[in-house]
Amino acid sequence: MSDDKNLKTPRLEINLHKIQENARILVENLAVKGISVTGITKASLGCPKIAKVLLSAGVNALGDSRIQNIMRMRNADITAPITLIRTPMMSQIEQVVEHATISFNTELDVINALSESAQKVGKNHGIILMLELGDLREGIMPEDIEGIVSKTLELPNIKFKGIGANLACRSGVVPDAKNMKELSDMANSLDAIFGFKMDIVSGGNSANLGWALKSLNIGRINNLCLGESFLLGLDPLTRKPIEGLYTSAFTLMAEVIESKIKPTKPWGKIGQSAFGKLPPIKEQGNISQILLAIGEQDTDPSGLTPPLGMEILGASSDHIIVKADKHSITIGNKISFKPNYAALLRAMTSPFIEKCFIS
Ligand SMILES: *Cc1c(COP(=O)(O)O)cnc(C)c1O
């Protein structure tokens, strides 16, 4: 609990030092393996302060899935290379060419449009082709990639930079020796066919760290795109802490607007709630319940860890209901929560949550 009346609530307290240390340690440990790091800023809406911290920690480029976030970083005078890590929308081609250095791509129509737009403004645009390795999100099927590389190489103002893959996102497919070897083998085979040595072979995201740091043979993989691991210090495959990293860079603070002793069980005829069906409620008698001015609209209540001795009982659009421990809690008190990735993502994106940087 804290009571600082000068700070706005609800707020996300962001410890830039912890993020920087996490990034520095990951960059160093991967550099030993010959792997560069692209610092992914999408969970922070392309927050320039976080982007700058990542750059000073040694990431060699930034990456974001949204062109608006990339533009926000450009407006903050960030000149480092930035990769658009989602295949560009046809309706945003011009902004992509203007602001992103490289984009991840899977569709030749899009690459053609990038080429036309790049010619118009006399710029070059880098392309990384994404290979489908089984997670079934973005990716070119392995049998089709040679043809797309060949066409990409012919396009004016387009620079083919390499290939990449992304696992453990839609389907939770674990990056391992087998699928990473497939990516490496594809890089070797394309190099041999086209007579070049591609710059970038990007193995994936934070879920690749377990494989990358333990594997004795990382093959051709020389880049990872990391977000969650340096923000939360967690391995996304297990959500367990990564050794040596801080897991407390973010704290979500919410304000108490009601504090009463109430029964645990609702009364009356029960239908669905605002957010669908609810799990059964365990009877705990009359308990101390506090109401917080934060809800589904601001964060993912199911992804919050309350302070020791408290328990989240429920939530609606604008409220979270918490079971408090014995001592009574005063109206206006602030309660602190540790957000998981989903809760952090939503809080970062909510205009109702003040972002507050501490060091
Ligand atoms: C979001 C994303 C990442 C970063 O993932 P984390 O799990 O946050 O490290 C990397 N690559 C792509 C293509 C992404 O969409």
Side-chain angles (χ1 to χ4, degrees), residues 59-297:
V59 303
N60 75 327
L62 298 167
D64 204 290
S65 51
R66 314 271 167 149
I67 193 65
Q68 293 91 333
N69 294 348
I70 293 178
M71 287 159 72
R72 184 178 173 204
M73 291 189 275
R74 291 297 187 218
N75 285 335
D77 291 328
I78 291 170
T79 54
I82 307 184
T83 301
L84 179 66
I85 59 169
R86 183 173 72 181
T87 188
M89 284 187 239
M90 280 299 222
S91 55
Q92 296 182 336
I93 295 292
E94 276 152 33
Q95 287 116 295
V96 173
V97 167
E98 184 176 352
H99 302 289
T101 323
I102 293 177
S103 56
F104 283 1
N105 282 271
T106 59
E107 291 290 349
L108 208 47
D109 284 349
V110 174
I111 304 170
N112 267 312
L114 288 165
S115 170
E116 274 171 29
S117 178
Q119 286 174 72
K120 268 189 214 140
V121 293
K123 269 190 147 177
N124 286 327
H125 185 76
I127 299 288
I128 290 178
L129 293 177
M130 298 301 278
L131 182 66
E132 177 60 73
L133 287 181
D135 200 53
L136 296 178
R137 199 180 72 179
E138 77 276 40
I140 299 163
M141 292 300 285
E143 59 271 26
D144 298 327
I145 197 163
E146 181 189 329
I148 298 187
V149 173
S150 162
K151 296 220 168 67
T152 299
L153 290 172
E154 290 166 7
L155 291 174
N157 298 60
I158 290 294
K159 298 281 167 242
F160 174 74
K161 302 298 273 183
I163 59 175
N166 192 66
L167 293 167
C169 271
R170 176 186 158 193
S171 312
V173 173
V174 176
D176 60 14
K178 185 167 178 286
N179 48 41
M180 285 298 105
K181 183 173 183 300
E182 245 181 87
L183 184 62
S184 273
D185 287 350
M186 183 60 82
N188 285 332
S189 122
L190 292 171
D191 278 4
I193 293 166
F194 295 101
F196 53 43
K197 186 151 196 289
M198 64 178 76
D199 274 358
I200 299 173
V201 184
S202 189
N205 54 55
S206 295
N208 284 62
L209 280 170
W211 167 82
L213 294 173
K214 276 186 218 109
S215 171
L216 296 175
N217 180 12
I218 54 157
R220 289 289 302 280
I221 312 304
N222 63 7
N223 174 264
L224 290 180
C225 295
L226 303 181
E228 177 172 350
S229 47
F230 56 64
L231 296 176
L232 296 179
L234 301 177
D235 180 339
L237 288 178
T238 57
R239 295 272 144 69
K240 294 230 169 73
I242 300 171
E243 209 189 303
L245 301 199
Y246 291 104
T247 57
S248 53
F250 294 89
T251 307
L252 188 58
M253 305 290 288
E255 185 169 327
V256 178
I257 55 171
E258 182 188 300
S259 175
K260 297 191 189 306
I261 307 290
K262 287 191 184 183
T264 11
K265 284 221 156 182
W267 58 92
K269 189 164 171 274
I270 307 292
Q272 289 202 359
S273 81
F275 290 89
K277 286 195 180 123
L278 293 171
I281 295 163
K282 69 173 189 274
E283 178 60 78
Q284 305 183 68
N286 284 347
I287 53 174
S288 169
Q289 298 190 26
I290 57 176
L291 201 58
L292 298 169
I294 188 172
E296 293 275 359
Q297 192 171 168

